[in-house]
């Protein structure tokens, strides 16, 4: 298993010095215990906030990586398993819209267990929102380079991970649609790893932490710099 960094630690490792600028957080006035009135949900969120220092499972902002300005979407796994709820969807949608407005590439730093059970079907609809934003960004001709951290499972893998133009994975990261708690009892754990996804063609490269910044920066330059080759 690769080391689990917090969202802000993951950003710090990749961003050029002091270039990260967090995006404004979309305003939402949540109902008590969430949209379903799930008993204890507010208390769980409060504990997660106290533990991580975050108010939601993603941190979004801009930073230069190897000299290229990009929108970074960093998941905080310590906040309810990096799960996607309505608040997460708001932040992701705003981050993608900002990227299209400024013509920046998007870099999801994924670490999630999937949709947030306390929000039921409404959590699953966030995947549709994210998939739409990814498709609009691709139509706009902007690059998406995903970094698969540990773990990358559920809808986060299916949308932000597998939907990217280039998929980089950290060695030893757990990667797959089914998380460890919902797989068949006889499932081979090795099949749900970054290395297995690379072997199957679902990831483009497995990159060690010490090489990730340089590799990501190189991909961003290649995908954002216009070609100088004569036509």
């Amino acid at each position: 298993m690769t080391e689990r960094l917090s969202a802000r630690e993951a950003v710090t490792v990749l961003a050029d010095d002091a270039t990260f600028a967090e995006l404004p957080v979309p305003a939402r006035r949540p109902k008590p215990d969430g949209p379903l009135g799930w008993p204890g949900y507010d208390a769980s969120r409060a504990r997660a906030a106290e533990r991580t220092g975050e108010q939601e499972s993603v941190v979004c902002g801009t930073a230069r990586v190897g000299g290229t300005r990009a929108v970074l979407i960093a998941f905080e796994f310590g906040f309810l398993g990096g799960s996607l709820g309505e608040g997460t969807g708001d932040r992701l949608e705003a981050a993608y819209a900002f990227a299209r407005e400024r013509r920046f590439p998007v870099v999801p730093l994924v670490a999630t267990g999937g949709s947030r059970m306390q929000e039921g079907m409404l959590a699953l609809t966030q995947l549709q929102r994210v998939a739409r934003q990814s498709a609009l960004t691709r139509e706009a001709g902007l690059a998406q380079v995903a970094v698969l951290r540990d773990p990358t499972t559920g809808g986060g893998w299916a949308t932000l991970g597998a939907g990217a133009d280039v998929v980089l994975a950290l060695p030893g990261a757990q990667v797959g649609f089914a998380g460890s708690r919902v797989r068949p009892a006889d499932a081979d754990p090795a099949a749900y790893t970054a290395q297995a996804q690379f072997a199957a063609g679902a990831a483009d490269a497995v990159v060690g932490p010490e090489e990730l910044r340089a590799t990501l920066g190189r991909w961003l330059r290649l995908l954002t710099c216009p070609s100088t080759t004569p036509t």
Side-chain angles (χ1 to χ4, degrees):
M1 180 187 298
T2 188
E3 181 184 4
R4 283 183 179 170
L5 302 179
S6 70
R8 295 183 189 274
E9 287 172 338
V11 167
T12 299
V13 167
L14 294 177
D16 297 351
D17 291 345
T19 62
F20 181 69
E22 193 166 352
L23 295 177
V25 176
R28 175 181 286 270
R29 187 173 297 175
K31 297 178 182 178
D33 281 330
L36 304 183
W38 186 288
Y41 182 31
D42 282 351
S44 294
R45 287 179 56 88
R47 289 192 297 270
E50 182 177 4
R51 182 169 58 249
T52 64
E54 306 295 347
Q55 297 300 313
E56 199 33 273
S57 59
V58 288
V59 175
C60 304
T62 65
R64 291 191 181 276
V65 181
T68 302
R69 177 70 71 177
V71 169
L72 271 55
I73 297 171
F75 276 74
E76 176 54 69
F77 189 75
F79 192 101
L80 301 180
S83 55
L84 284 82
E86 287 186 314
T88 321
D90 290 345
R91 293 191 181 201
L92 294 174
E93 190 171 61
Y96 271 97
F98 183 88
R100 291 194 300 274
E101 178 186 340
R102 301 298 179 91
R103 304 294 300 171
F104 290 159
V106 180
V107 180
L109 308 175
V110 191
T112 174
S115 301
R116 191 169 299 169
M117 65 177 184
Q118 295 94 333
E119 297 189 17
M121 285 298 297
L122 289 173
L124 293 176
T125 64
Q126 306 313 306
L127 306 181
Q128 183 181 27
R129 292 177 73 185
V130 175
R132 178 176 182 272
Q133 292 302 315
S134 178
L136 290 173
T137 302
R138 182 171 293 104
E139 288 177 6
L142 300 173
Q144 299 171 74
V145 182
V147 176
L148 311 184
R149 298 155 59 213
D150 184 57
T152 297
T153 60
W157 158 236
T159 54
L160 292 159
D165 301 306
V166 177
V167 181
L168 308 177
L170 290 171
Q174 180 186 171
V175 181
F177 188 74
S180 58
R181 296 183 180 181
V182 295
R183 296 174 194 153
D186 58 350
D188 179 7
Y192 297 84
T193 63
Q195 288 85 341
Q197 298 298 342
F198 172 68
D204 295 296
V206 176
V207 184
E210 69 283 355
E211 302 170 352
L212 184 58
R213 182 176 175 182
T215 301
L216 178 57
R218 185 161 56 250
W219 271 112
L220 290 174
R221 288 193 300 274
L222 287 169
L223 293 170
T224 57
C225 294
S227 174
T228 58
T229 303
T231 57

